[in-house]
Amino acid sequence: MAAPGVTLRPLSRTVLTASPALSTTTLRIVPRRFPQSLLNRQSPSLHSASRSPLVPHTQIRHSSYHSPEPSPNTPNARKKVTMTTLRNLYKKGEPIAMITAHDFPSARAADESGMDMVLVGDSLGMVAMGLENTTEIVMEEMLLHCRSVARGAKHAFLVGDLPMGSYEISPEQAVGSALRFIKEGRVHGVKIEGGEELAPTIKRITQAGIPVVGHIGLTPQRQNALGGFRVQGKTCVGAMKILQDALALQEAGVFMFVFEAMPPEVAALITSKLKVPTIGIGAGNGCSGQVLVQVDMTGNFQPGRFIPKFVKKYADVWGEATRGMIQYREEVKSREFPSPEYTYPISKEELAKFEKTVDEMIQK
């Protein structure tokens, strides 16, 4: 029964388990409505000497686990970031913070860091899967990573990269791929690389009710056609092409752009001519926000690996992780780990019984 002054809300089903003093019992309680006076009254039968109090069944885990989500009623709980949230940030001129994530832990880190948006970028093919470039990753792999990220990022707005080969054949193919990202990948929108030639495709996706982020400038999926990972918009002709792409895709219905690897002045001028926010990556701070690959900015990569000029290293995850693992290896070799505080005890009496039982068993 409820403690005095506590109001019980009806539940469709409640499972309770008896305390360890009793054999395991599962009770199914059917909701009933009682007068408040009865709800506030203690039941002596539950606390008699012949019956142990019922306690909610809980599972104790002696293994790695993730912490529960904060209650939505707690003072510091984050509100879910939606399209409306992002539009309001844009209207107020407040920069939008976006970062990539590729699995549950990186998603939790991004979400708990207060990121407005989390991008499941196809860059994970290189930083998480060891591929040579983004063109190798396929739909099923992207969906797997999207689902993992969706389990960890509960507050940020999630966007998934449509991989190369999943949208170029026809608008119908693109809509089908985008629908899979929403339904199976559990993201909130998709990102698609390319210019005005993709306007009909993007229009079809948005007509299906799926938010689309356009990606122009340097488009890594087309790096073979671009002659490699080259800065775009360094000439008047190149900059005008980016502007034309942006205006065409805005008309097609994108709600946001990623501008990659272009002069900051070009990105800022084009941003000022658009009615939707722009997220820069190697495009200067004149954009409406910024995005970086999490693995790059946290320094979670081996020494000597090439990183783009626009990456600022904010941490040294690789160094900390390797230092910790080296110490762990040394303590394992010396038997310093695990010390008693990292083990589970047994009483001397039970240990003596066990040893005696083993001896008797061996002697037979």
Side-chain angles (χ1 to χ4, degrees):
M1 300 297 288
V6 177
T7 302
L8 292 180
R9 293 182 297 176
L11 298 176
S12 60
R13 187 180 67 178
T14 303
V15 178
L16 298 177
T17 303
S19 66
L22 296 176
S23 59
T24 303
T25 305
T26 301
L27 302 180
R28 179 167 298 174
I29 298 177
V30 179
R32 295 176 59 189
R33 295 184 179 275
F34 295 97
Q36 189 62 42
S37 60
L38 292 180
L39 289 176
N40 291 337
R41 187 179 305 167
Q42 294 286 351
S43 174
S45 64
L46 289 178
H47 300 282
S48 63
S50 62
R51 183 175 298 179
S52 299
L54 294 175
V55 295
H57 175 72
T58 57
Q59 182 183 16
I60 299 176
R61 299 183 61 180
H62 297 290
S63 61
S64 299
Y65 67 97
H66 63 86
S67 58
E69 289 298 318
S71 167
N73 297 322
T74 56
N76 297 323
R78 283 186 67 194
K79 291 183 178 180
K80 178 69 178 175
V81 178
T82 65
M83 292 274 288
T84 300
T85 310
L86 298 173
R87 291 193 184 103
N88 289 338
L89 291 175
Y90 174 61
K91 289 177 182 178
K92 292 187 298 183
E94 181 178 337
I96 298 168
M98 178 193 284
I99 200 167
T100 69
H102 59 267
D103 59 8
F104 180 85
S106 61
R108 283 303 296 265
D111 207 46
E112 294 187 14
S113 299
M115 293 295 162
D116 301 310
M117 303 182 71
V118 170
L119 171 65
V120 188
D122 57 6
S123 57
L124 68 86
M126 294 182 288
V127 301
M129 298 174 62
L131 302 178
E132 289 296 324
N133 52 59
T134 63
T135 63
E136 298 180 50
I137 196 166
V138 298
M139 173 70 80
E140 298 302 328
E141 293 167 335
M142 284 299 301
L143 290 174
L144 172 64
H145 285 274
C146 283
R147 287 194 295 272
S148 298
V149 169
R151 296 185 193 106
K154 299 297 185 181
H155 304 93
F157 191 92
L158 303 183
V159 176
D161 253 340
L162 290 181
M164 185 178 187
S166 68
Y167 60 88
E168 296 92 340
I169 295 175
S170 68
E172 290 74 22
Q173 180 207 26
V175 172
S177 297
L179 286 170
R180 290 192 66 189
F181 263 66
I182 301 299
K183 291 173 66 65
E184 300 176 39
R186 298 174 57 201
V187 298
H188 308 126
V190 298
K191 182 167 75 65
I192 187 169
E193 295 185 16
E196 60 182 330
E197 73 280 358
L198 287 176
T201 296
I202 289 173
K203 186 173 183 179
R204 287 290 302 277
I205 297 175
T206 58
Q207 286 174 341
I210 300 172
V212 177
V213 176
H215 185 150
I216 56 179
L218 170 59
T219 48
Q221 292 180 9
R222 304 182 178 198
Q223 51 97 10
N224 290 324
L226 297 174
F229 295 94
R230 303 171 64 88
V231 177
Q232 303 296 302
K234 296 181 69 173
T235 66
C236 179
V237 173
M240 283 301 300
K241 176 62 169 64
I242 297 174
L243 175 60
Q244 291 168 1
D245 287 338
L247 293 173
L249 298 190
Q250 178 179 255
E251 181 66 23
V254 300
F255 81 95
M256 179 180 285
F257 283 99
V258 167
F259 282 180
E260 181 168 0
M262 63 183 71
E265 298 85 356
V266 171
L269 181 57
I270 296 176
T271 295
S272 70
K273 303 303 179 183
L274 297 175
K275 300 177 182 179
V276 296
T278 61
I279 305 296
I281 178 167
N285 60 13
C287 296
S288 311
Q290 300 294 323
V291 63
L292 282 177
V293 174
Q294 186 176 155
V295 168
D296 291 343
M297 58 84 62
T298 58
N300 193 10
F301 52 85
Q302 68 275 19
R305 196 200 99 183
F306 170 79
I307 58 172
K309 178 183 179 180
F310 56 73
V311 173
K312 180 177 180 179
K313 183 178 173 182
Y314 286 85
D316 183 22
V317 172
W318 181 277
E320 286 299 308
T322 53
R323 276 191 289 273
M325 284 187 278
I326 290 171
Q327 182 179 352
Y328 163 72
R329 183 200 66 204
E330 292 174 348
E331 291 187 4
V332 169
K333 295 290 187 179
S334 66
R335 296 190 182 277
E336 181 180 351
F337 178 84
S339 50
E341 64 265 35
Y342 300 108
T343 61
Y344 302 104
I346 182 173
S347 68
K348 293 181 179 179
E349 294 78 9
E350 290 299 322
L351 179 58
K353 291 179 183 179
F354 175 60
E355 292 173 340
K356 181 180 179 181
T357 303
V358 171
D359 290 341
E360 293 174 349
M361 181 186 70
I362 298 297
Q363 291 174 1
K364 290 182 179 180

